[in-house]
Amino acid sequence: MVRSIKNPKKAKRKNKDAKKGDGSSSSSSSVPSKPTKVWQPGVDTLEEGEELQCDPTAYNSLHAFHIGWPCLSFDIVRDSLGLVRNEFPHTVYFVAGTQAEKPSWNSIGVFKVSNISGKRRELVPNKPATGDDDMDSESSDSDEDSEDEGEGGSGTPILQLRKVAHQGCINRIRAMSQNPHICASWADTGHVQVWDFSSHLNALAESETEVNLGAPSVFNQTPLMKFGGHKDEGYAIDWSPVTPGRLLTGDCKSCIHLWEPTSDSTWTVDANPFGGHSASVEDLQWSPTEADVFASCSVDGHIAIWDTRLGKSPITSFKAHNADVNVISWNRLASCMLASGSDDGTFSIHDLRLLKGGDSVVAHFEYHKHPITSIEWSPHEGSTLAVSSADNQLTIWDLSLEKDEEEEAEFKAKTQEQVNAPEDLPPQLLFVHQGQKDLKELHWHSQIPGMLVSTAADGFNILMPSNIQSTLPQDVGV
């Protein structure tokens, strides 16, 4: 299990030329003298004088920001700006927990990023690219300075931040989807706390002024509830998507506690934990359709399925990986599918309908060479999921894809492709995003199709790959 950010240092604002994104680490305004090559971490090495470059044409939008200290975990806060938003510029709300050098320096950041600009691109250009249209442009904050893409707005994104004091590092934080101002945080002190951030979110919604990261005062706020009944710290936490206010928390001593809401701001926590794993519970996921069913994964290599009506033991448990199972994600568009990511770099797709037959694995991938740190199904495409790894890659996969050599040849002919893509890449691999160091967590935005947000030791990225196309109609109202 790979979690903590070792020797965290306060993030420094990158200069305008700092590169990030797909295979990036430095900036260059010159066109490469030879055809570019897709670089694979853990497979390829950089020779002396070589540097990685971001291809800005691969993104509809790409932005980077930070809120001070690194954040191990964050969540996207559901807002009232529209259920399906397709037009730039975008506005997004977040909560995130810091990993500060001293326990008393930590805080929960409640923040808003507005004026997120970008552009829409066709999968196949109408005319061949000349090769230098985008290479001459800076990619520090993606394409916000593009002059010819008025559709996407212009200017730099605006960050507005409010900090709430928090004792100890935040291992994981989650916002309730039904009441997004209610958030739960897991601390390395061993406490789980539930917060009401409505005043901060309302203040951010009414303000349009960018903040200086060093200026915001830290608010001292009392949580709605603080639970210290876990025997150790933990990382596993999930709000029920079916029953508002229902919460699960799991710790490193293999115990899982169920929280039942007694009002909009109070909970009763069952002191008798669920038990069935022989090691740390790493992640929890409620069923997207059944109010009493949830899944858990553990360092013991197993995934367990539970029914809260049937006692404190799992109704079934199965070996999912040969190493720690770090993360799981339950598909909300295809509720029979559960994805899992392991410490050995592999991730698998399980069809829960096949559990009675013994082997539920319908897909298994060994692309990543380091531990999987986050995995999440797309809320808009049932066959698409995103994965982050300690190999500093964020990958996007479409499990419905199969290799079609004729189609590939036709596409290359239309685009006059010069990129030397490795032949052994899985056909399901849609996109590789690089440039962040020590990737920790990712989330899709449920209201902005195609938008992903990721956090790492060096800050956050907001990205919208140009080849992630939504099947939703483009004229859906916002």
Side-chain angles (χ1 to χ4, degrees), residues 234-420:
Y235 294 79
I237 189 168
D238 194 38
W239 293 102
S240 170
V242 178
T243 305
R246 215 171 194 197
L247 181 69
L248 285 168
T249 54
D251 61 36
C252 295
K253 294 294 186 182
S254 75
C255 293
I256 301 169
H257 287 272
L258 174 64
W259 300 48
E260 293 285 10
T262 52
S263 71
D264 289 339
S265 58
T266 58
W267 287 261
T268 298
V269 185
D270 190 342
N272 184 19
F274 293 86
H277 287 293
S278 61
S280 172
V281 176
E282 299 291 274
D283 203 3
L284 289 161
Q285 285 275 280
W286 283 102
S287 164
T289 57
E290 300 181 69
D292 300 295
V293 177
F294 68 90
S296 62
C297 67
S298 170
V299 167
D300 62 20
H302 286 72
I303 291 175
I305 308 296
W306 314 70
D307 189 322
T308 60
R309 299 164 297 186
L310 302 178
K312 301 296 184 178
S313 299
I315 55 177
T316 186
S317 178
F318 58 94
K319 184 69 174 293
H321 292 273
N322 293 323
D324 306 3
V325 187
N326 294 334
V327 285
I328 52 175
S329 178
W330 205 318
N331 194 324
R332 296 196 177 188
L333 299 180
S335 60
C336 60
M337 295 296 175
L338 185 75
S340 61
S342 174
D343 219 44
D344 61 10
T346 66
F347 67 96
S348 299
I349 311 301
H350 309 268
D351 187 337
L352 301 179
R353 297 171 298 184
L354 304 178
L355 282 177
K356 291 183 179 180
D359 186 5
S360 64
V361 177
V362 293
H364 180 73
F365 296 93
E366 299 181 357
Y367 171 82
H368 288 284
K369 309 303 180 185
H370 293 82
I372 304 300
T373 57
S374 187
I375 191 167
E376 188 169 287
W377 290 99
S378 166
H380 298 105
E381 299 288 349
S383 62
T384 301
L385 77 161
V387 179
S388 69
S389 169
D391 62 10
N392 299 327
Q393 292 186 86
L394 185 159
T395 54
I396 303 173
W397 304 74
D398 186 343
L399 304 184
S400 68
L401 295 179
E402 296 181 358
K403 189 174 182 66
D404 188 324
E405 295 182 358
E406 291 184 5
E407 189 176 272
E408 285 185 7
E410 181 181 354
F411 181 83
K412 289 181 179 180
K414 286 184 178 181
T415 59
Q416 295 186 357
E417 186 177 28
Q418 297 296 313
V419 175
N420 301 314

Side-chain angles (χ1 to χ4, degrees), residues 153-286:
S154 61
T156 302
I158 298 172
L159 171 64
Q160 297 163 255
L161 171 67
R162 293 170 73 90
K163 296 180 180 180
V164 176
H166 187 282
Q167 183 66 28
C169 295
I170 295 90
N171 292 343
R172 198 162 287 175
I173 188 167
R174 292 290 182 265
M176 190 196 308
S177 59
Q178 301 93 337
N179 298 303
H181 59 282
I182 302 295
C183 298
S185 62
W186 236 130
D188 65 358
T189 60
H191 294 94
V192 180
Q193 298 175 85
V194 179
W195 307 82
D196 183 349
F197 292 142
S198 55
S199 62
H200 305 292
L201 290 168
N202 290 337
L204 291 171
E206 296 171 1
S207 173
E208 297 295 337
T209 306
E210 184 172 8
V211 298
N212 184 324
L213 288 177
S217 59
V218 179
F219 295 90
N220 290 308
Q221 180 173 332
T222 303
L224 295 175
M225 183 166 176
K226 184 175 183 178
F227 177 65
H230 279 283
K231 297 178 181 179
D232 196 0
E233 66 174 308
Y235 294 79
I237 189 168
D238 194 38
W239 293 102
S240 170
V242 178
T243 305
R246 215 171 194 197
L247 181 69
L248 285 168
T249 54
D251 61 36
C252 295
K253 294 294 186 182
S254 75
C255 293
I256 301 169
H257 287 272
L258 174 64
W259 300 48
E260 293 285 10
T262 52
S263 71
D264 289 339
S265 58
T266 58
W267 287 261
T268 298
V269 185
D270 190 342
N272 184 19
F274 293 86
H277 287 293
S278 61
S280 172
V281 176
E282 299 291 274
D283 203 3
L284 289 161
Q285 285 275 280
W286 283 102

